[in-house]
Amino acid sequence: MVNLTLKFVAFARGSGLRISTSEVLDCLNHLALVDVLDQEQFAMTLRTNFVKTYRDQPAFDRLFRLFFHELRDADTSKHAGTLNGHIEEALAAMQQQMQPGGLPQPIRDFLLDDPLGYLQALQAGRAEQMGPGQALGGNMGGLVNRLAIMLALDNARSAMARYLSENRNSIPWEIREDLNAYFTARLRNARDLLFENQPAVGAGVQTRISQDQRLNQLSGKAFQALTPKEMQELREVIRKLAAKLKDTLNRRNAKRSRGMLDFKKTVRRSAQYYGLPMEVVYKKRIPHKSKLVVLCDVSGSVWSAARFMLNMLYSLQECFTKVRSFIFVSDLTEITAIFERYEADTAMDKVLSEADIDYQAATNYGRMLRLFQDQYLETLNKKTTVIIIGDARSNYQDPEEGILKEIREKSRRLIWLNPETKQFWYSGDSEAATYQPYCHEFRLCQNLDQLHDFIKELVL
Amino acid sequence: MKAMLRPIENNEGTRCCKFEGVADVGAKLQRAGYICSKEIATVVYLAMVTQKPILVEGPAGVGKTELAKAVANSLNRRMIRLQCYEGLDEAKALYEWEYGKQLLYTQIVKDKINEVIKDAATLTEALDRIAGEEDAFFSERFIQPRPLLQALYSEEPVVLLIDEVDKADPEFEAFLLEILSDFQISIPELGTRKAVEIPFVVLTSNNYRDISDALKRRCIHLYIDYPDQDLELKIVQLKYPEISRQLALQVVDAVRHIRKLDIKKKPSISETLDWAHSLVALQVKDLSPETMADTLNMIVKYKADMDLIRRQAGHLLK
Ligand SMILES: Nc1ncnc2c1ncn2[C@@H]1O[C@H](COP(=O)(O)OP(=O)(O)OP(=O)(O)O)[C@@H](O)[C@H]1O
Ligand SMILES: [Mg+2]
């Protein structure tokens, strides 16, 4: 039972269900407490330990049925008992016959009563059908799609028939009958599984596989290469990442602010009451929130990176005391109000249509810095983090790095995010080399992974 | 099996404080007025034996809260309930330190304190003496226990229901995790306190927000769905024994059909029960489309849903 359960765990994990080791151990302990011969009790003991949200339940139920029922119908296992040595022998011979490549390992294991590899190959094949992307692992022995699996099964069937007829004289009649029945049943099983009409409940696991893969692809893809549809998907991802960050932050703060008495304050207040500590003051959590000032280059290719950063920052607004945002090409415009009024996605569209800015103008970082210096330099203080996102391409005009130096001195941190590929940073009209020495950090920010890393450091 | 070997059967008169097996859970819960599937019984049994909390999910009104009550009832335990909501904090959930009371006591015993330190030679000695009496200043006396601490302090094992945990803030969840991990809690003024008896813990969630993975790993999981026909019929008959089998079947089937429609709020077990109740009160013998239309407000709350069902009333009663 332990072995079988562990095999199931491997299979379920391979199919996209997340099961932790502690959950496996718990489950094994629990199996000793129930009647494992009772189908429902057994199934429920696995489910209560391995599925922790209703969303995964249909997927689990399907995997469970697949693994424990469709593969283990009574007559196959009955045969297996008396045939032990003969099955291996037959498989070895079939392996020889089926050239080139032989009998694929997953099918061989399947015929020998270990369905794991085969089921994984099926899952991978299904994920494959749902869209492009890597199928699970590379060790499927060439079983990359349904057609290949079907052909392999057919080959196995004829190899088996040939083996039985060639050994008509060396294997006793009853054994041959049983072998035939055994392999026919197993192969039928395999075929049924392959052609099984995908019931809706199976969708959970598969979409999860392809979603995870999808996410990996998307979060590593350069912002400017995203299609509109991918951008839409990425917004959803950002929403989730932001929620997760907030959760982490909250949990951390909760730990920190555990009901400590603020002794000094309590004593000070007690002075009003003849020295009696009538008002008890607790230590507040240390809010290490900072003020953000964000300057976004919205010319051409930089905008796609800037918009995702704005999206993420405003989804995390509560983590900062204030976020002020500006966009520039040659002029500089504050867009804070738009983000405060609308929810991030809507705001983003409004910025493009409503903000007062000339998108056709030639980008001019020096002018932008001068404008900032005139109007906003005063607002910076030692609690402000200034973030500039842009490619630092300023059309060979005065870069005004002196102002950047002033900004650095007046703020807590100055961080520059450059969405341009690193090889190009120091060429042509890029002022990256000029600006870099004045920034506390000057980092690459081309895709969601990099953006997420940056923002994590910023808030946590 | 074990239950059969026991010399004396637990009957309703005697106190029982344990489930003897999965089947026993089912039987005892039924006696407490709760009909459950074998799946539910299995999880409840495991939770009892392993002392792990159960995290119950499921649509509204399928009996999540009721399950905890029934477990308490059938184990003869007190149920302590912590209803979660946004902003729930430790002071409301665990304990409140009663400074007012403490101050008052200190004032009253001032003379006594003076007596204690009267002949102390030095300030240090005076302080030492007061420190010797520290237990009097910082004692359970000044603690107002809230549900979680009540559950830990209880001499008799209790059922602790933490209802709608998804409504509480994530900070609170983190704190809950600490308690549920080792059933002990450190109180700054008093030190660490361990549970006298480990409570049977039920957490419920309506998926308002996702629970953290860490908390989920701590719990075993139970999803209660709408019951199948047989189970729901049994529930109706248990609560309203006077209902005819035919009417009960009609009610249950109609409700099951309605759940399949694309409506805003699906009727739950409590709605089925309300409906059955009113039909019994109206002395209805047979559910006709007309009676159904007249009493529909018992099962659906939204007007749009009502209109949709009226249009289908004929089909629903086949
Ligand atoms: N299995 C059952 N046996 C008997 N009665 C039940 C059962 N399930 C539900 N009920 C009845 O349904 C009513 C609603 O159940 P309960 O309040 O526990 O639902 P809930 O799942 O906690 O809902 P919510 O999510 O709204 O809190 C109960 O009062 C009870 O009478
Ligand atoms: Mg409830």
Side-chain angles (χ1 to χ4, degrees):
Chain A
M1 198 44 82
V2 173
N3 249 334
L4 196 61
T5 306
L6 292 180
K7 271 188 187 170
F8 174 73
V9 169
F11 165 57
R13 279 180 178 154
S15 307
L17 223 54
R18 251 173 284 146
I19 302 176
S20 74
T21 311
S22 68
E23 285 163 336
V24 177
L25 293 175
D26 282 345
C27 180
L28 294 177
N29 287 332
H30 293 178
L31 283 174
L33 298 168
V34 299
D35 176 6
V36 286
L37 297 180
D38 180 313
Q39 288 258 356
E40 276 166 293
Q41 289 189 32
F42 176 69
M44 205 50 199
T45 305
L46 261 56
R47 188 161 95 186
T48 194
N49 279 295
F50 297 160
V51 179
K52 295 291 169 78
T53 156
Y54 72 102
R55 264 179 255 121
D56 286 343
Q57 193 160 305
F60 171 88
D61 288 348
R62 190 184 122 72
L63 293 173
F64 185 88
R65 188 170 50 77
L66 207 64
F67 189 85
F68 286 104
H69 297 297
E70 300 180 5
L71 299 172
R72 276 161 215 285
D73 41 81
D75 65 344
T76 38
S77 33
K78 186 180 73 206
H79 286 302
T82 54
L83 286 173
N84 263 337
H86 294 287
I87 294 174
E88 275 92 348
E89 218 170 279
L91 283 172
M94 283 156 72
Q95 171 82 359
Q96 293 268 307
Q97 282 184 7
M98 285 177 67
Q99 294 298 345
L103 189 60
Q105 192 64 39
I107 294 189
R108 197 184 156 138
D109 290 346
F110 184 88
L111 293 176
L112 248 179
D113 209 29
D114 176 12
L116 197 57
Y118 183 70
L119 290 175
Q120 275 171 353
L122 287 186
Q123 291 284 353
R126 273 168 197 146
E128 186 85 356
Q129 285 181 334
M130 317 259 318
Q134 287 264 121
L136 273 170
N139 56 350
M140 297 301 165
L143 300 182
V144 284
N145 58 36
R146 276 158 61 113
L147 186 64
I149 297 175
M150 197 175 79
L151 287 176
L153 288 179
D154 281 348
N155 283 339
R157 172 189 302 282
S158 31
M160 191 257 305
R162 207 165 339 134
Y163 170 76
L164 288 178
S165 72
E166 279 173 6
N167 291 282
R168 207 171 307 148
N169 302 320
S170 54
I171 305 177
W173 174 79
E174 313 84 358
I175 302 276
R176 261 188 295 133
E177 275 298 277
D178 280 356
L179 270 180
N180 190 22
Y182 173 81
F183 281 120
T184 310
R186 279 263 127 185
L187 284 167
R188 183 171 4 94
N189 246 329
R191 255 185 101 86
D192 286 351
L193 284 173
L194 178 62
F195 288 108
E196 170 191 31
N197 239 338
Q198 274 293 289
V201 289
V205 165
Q206 290 150 34
T207 39
R208 178 121 128 240
I209 292 177
S210 37
Q211 239 172 29
D212 283 356
Q213 286 170 353
R214 185 99 192 103
L215 181 58
N216 281 339
Q217 288 171 352
L218 281 185
S219 65
K221 193 165 172 180
F223 288 125
Q224 50 179 1
L226 295 169
T227 67
K229 192 170 154 283
E230 288 171 333
M231 285 195 174
Q232 199 60 42
E233 280 177 62
L234 215 53
R235 283 182 180 183
E236 179 59 20
V237 174
I238 286 181
R239 201 182 56 74
K240 283 189 194 146
L241 287 178
K244 210 164 189 176
L245 273 178
K246 264 189 266 184
D247 270 12
T248 317
L249 193 66
N250 285 338
R251 288 209 177 94
R252 201 174 282 192
N253 287 339
K255 276 241 172 72
R256 229 179 262 147
S257 67
R258 276 291 283 284
M260 291 291 284
L261 185 71
D262 189 333
F263 192 73
K264 266 196 230 156
K265 269 198 188 147
T266 307
V267 169
R268 219 177 298 139
R269 297 247 173 113
S270 72
Q272 300 171 39
Y273 308 99
Y274 305 98
L276 280 181
M278 289 301 284
E279 259 183 81
V280 179
V281 189
Y282 292 98
K283 281 199 178 121
K284 276 269 158 7
R285 77 171 62 134
I286 325 121
H288 77 168
K289 290 180 175 180
S290 57
K291 201 177 116 191
L292 291 188
V293 169
V294 192
L295 302 167
C296 301
D297 181 348
V298 290
S299 65
S301 58
V302 184
W303 172 235
S304 51
R307 63 180 295 158
F308 283 112
M309 186 184 67
L310 284 173
N311 192 334
M312 199 134 175
L313 286 180
Y314 278 98
S315 312
L316 290 167
Q317 245 185 88
E318 308 90 291
C319 306
F320 311 103
T321 26
K322 166 103 187 159
V323 185
R324 286 189 80 170
S325 42
F326 301 85
I327 56 175
F328 64 87
V329 177
S330 168
D331 292 335
L332 179 75
T333 309
E334 176 158 11
I335 52 169
T336 312
I338 302 184
F339 276 95
E340 282 172 354
R341 192 144 16 107
Y342 301 99
E343 159 281 328
D345 278 349
T346 326
M348 215 70 67
D349 299 332
K350 297 251 180 220
V351 166
L352 285 183
S353 54
E354 285 180 11
D356 176 25
I357 202 152
D358 178 6
Y359 290 95
Q360 306 310 315
T363 316
N364 186 336
Y365 278 75
R367 186 175 141 79
M368 175 277 283
L369 288 172
R370 275 197 303 279
L371 289 170
F372 187 81
Q373 182 190 35
D374 283 352
Q375 296 178 53
Y376 304 105
L377 197 63
E378 263 76 89
T379 66
L380 302 182
N381 60 33
K382 280 296 170 195
K383 283 190 176 144
T384 321
T385 300
V386 179
I387 303 171
I388 302 178
I389 179 162
D391 57 8
R393 294 200 174 269
S394 196
N395 296 300
Y396 300 105
Q397 302 178 71
D398 183 356
E400 299 271 20
E401 66 271 28
I403 302 177
L404 203 63
K405 183 161 175 267
E406 256 184 88
I407 293 180
R408 177 194 166 108
E409 280 156 8
K410 296 207 82 172
S411 59
R412 192 169 73 92
R413 280 183 83 68
L414 170 61
I415 302 165
W416 193 298
L417 301 177
N418 193 340
E420 195 177 43
T421 310
K422 227 169 187 165
Q423 285 103 294
F424 304 130
W425 277 11
Y426 309 108
S427 63
D429 63 343
S430 172
E431 303 288 349
T434 323
Y435 290 141
Q436 192 162 4
Y438 298 103
C439 300
H440 291 98
E441 278 180 72
F442 196 96
R443 53 199 286 173
L444 177 67
C445 181
Q446 257 187 324
N447 57 38
L448 186 61
D449 285 337
Q450 290 156 356
L451 177 63
H452 185 222
D453 286 347
F454 164 66
I455 290 190
K456 219 155 68 185
E457 286 170 34
L458 192 66
V459 297
L460 294 183
Chain B
M1 296 289 176
K2 275 191 212 137
M4 291 205 299
L5 297 176
R6 286 171 62 86
I8 309 161
E9 278 266 358
N10 269 321
N11 44 38
E12 280 173 72
T14 57
R15 294 191 122 221
C16 63
C17 41
K18 247 171 92 181
F19 296 120
E20 303 292 342
V22 174
D24 188 44
V25 174
K28 285 196 173 126
L29 288 185
Q30 176 152 357
R31 252 179 276 152
Y34 191 87
I35 308 274
C36 72
S37 60
K38 204 191 257 178
E39 295 180 342
I40 296 179
T42 307
V43 176
V44 168
Y45 180 68
L46 286 175
M48 187 204 66
V49 182
T50 60
Q51 303 189 316
K52 268 186 155 247
I54 310 182
L55 171 63
V56 189
E57 287 184 307
V62 289
K64 300 186 289 293
T65 307
E66 192 74 11
L67 175 63
K69 290 186 191 162
V71 168
N73 228 322
S74 55
L75 291 180
N76 240 312
R77 292 189 184 190
R78 187 156 69 100
M79 186 177 94
I80 295 176
R81 177 174 184 165
L82 174 65
Q83 176 65 46
C84 298
Y85 51 87
E86 232 178 297
L88 173 66
D89 59 9
E90 288 168 47
K92 293 278 162 13
L94 190 62
Y95 70 92
E96 223 155 2
W97 185 260
E98 293 185 295
Y99 282 99
K101 193 167 163 190
Q102 191 190 18
L103 276 177
L104 200 63
Y105 275 48
T106 317
Q107 283 300 298
I108 294 172
V109 299
K110 221 172 183 172
D111 296 344
K112 197 86 193 144
I113 299 176
N114 285 334
E115 215 165 90
V116 170
I117 58 173
K118 198 167 55 188
D119 51 351
T122 62
L123 191 59
T124 319
E125 198 191 331
L127 280 176
D128 282 347
R129 285 194 194 170
I130 292 181
E133 310 288 325
E134 212 168 52
D135 283 356
F137 295 102
F138 292 104
S139 74
E140 322 272 292
R141 214 190 312 273
F142 304 118
I143 271 191
Q144 170 80 52
R146 301 287 182 206
L148 289 178
L149 198 62
Q150 286 169 15
L152 295 190
Y153 270 2
S154 172
E155 296 286 334
E156 311 231 296
V158 298
V159 171
L160 171 62
L161 169 63
I162 304 176
D163 217 359
E164 312 194 3
V165 62
D166 51 331
K167 298 255 171 70
D169 307 312
E171 294 106 279
F172 182 73
E173 208 182 291
F175 154 76
L176 207 55
L177 178 67
E178 276 184 60
I179 295 196
L180 295 182
S181 299
D182 35 18
F183 291 100
Q184 66 176 32
I185 183 71
S186 73
I187 299 173
E189 293 87 349
L190 297 178
T192 303
R193 287 289 185 269
K194 216 171 162 44
V196 182
E197 292 278 347
I198 306 242
F200 185 109
V201 184
V202 178
L203 299 110
T204 77
S205 158
N206 282 22
N207 290 300
Y208 177 75
R209 177 174 62 74
D210 268 355
I211 310 285
S212 77
D213 286 344
L215 187 55
K216 284 191 207 151
R217 269 197 296 278
R218 229 357 250 136
C219 302
I220 56 176
H221 181 263
L222 174 64
Y223 179 73
I224 306 186
D225 205 345
Y226 296 115
D228 61 24
Q229 186 200 37
D230 188 44
L231 213 63
E232 196 159 17
L233 192 65
K234 276 197 196 139
I235 297 174
V236 171
Q237 287 177 320
L238 180 79
K239 300 265 154 141
Y240 302 105
E242 65 274 36
I243 198 168
S244 76
R245 188 183 154 80
Q246 168 178 343
L247 182 60
L249 250 174
Q250 281 179 321
V251 168
V252 166
D253 280 345
V255 172
R256 288 170 57 76
H257 274 114
I258 292 171
R259 282 188 195 132
K260 283 190 204 123
L261 300 177
D262 184 22
I263 52 177
K264 266 195 228 166
K265 163 88 181 65
K266 300 196 173 168
S268 68
I269 300 179
S270 36
E271 272 91 36
T272 314
L273 289 174
D274 288 347
W275 198 23
H277 190 183
S278 51
L279 291 175
V280 169
L282 293 168
Q283 301 193 319
V284 172
K285 292 275 165 302
D286 185 63
L287 190 59
S288 65
E290 292 75 43
T291 350
M292 181 162 167
D294 289 344
T295 52
L296 212 50
N297 57 346
M298 300 304 304
I299 26 174
V300 271
K301 308 290 178 231
Y302 290 97
K303 182 161 180 323
D305 289 353
M306 203 109 68
D307 293 343
L308 181 80
I309 294 168
R310 281 227 171 81
R311 264 177 273 134
Q312 308 232 4
H315 295 292
L316 295 175
L317 289 175
K318 251 180 255 158

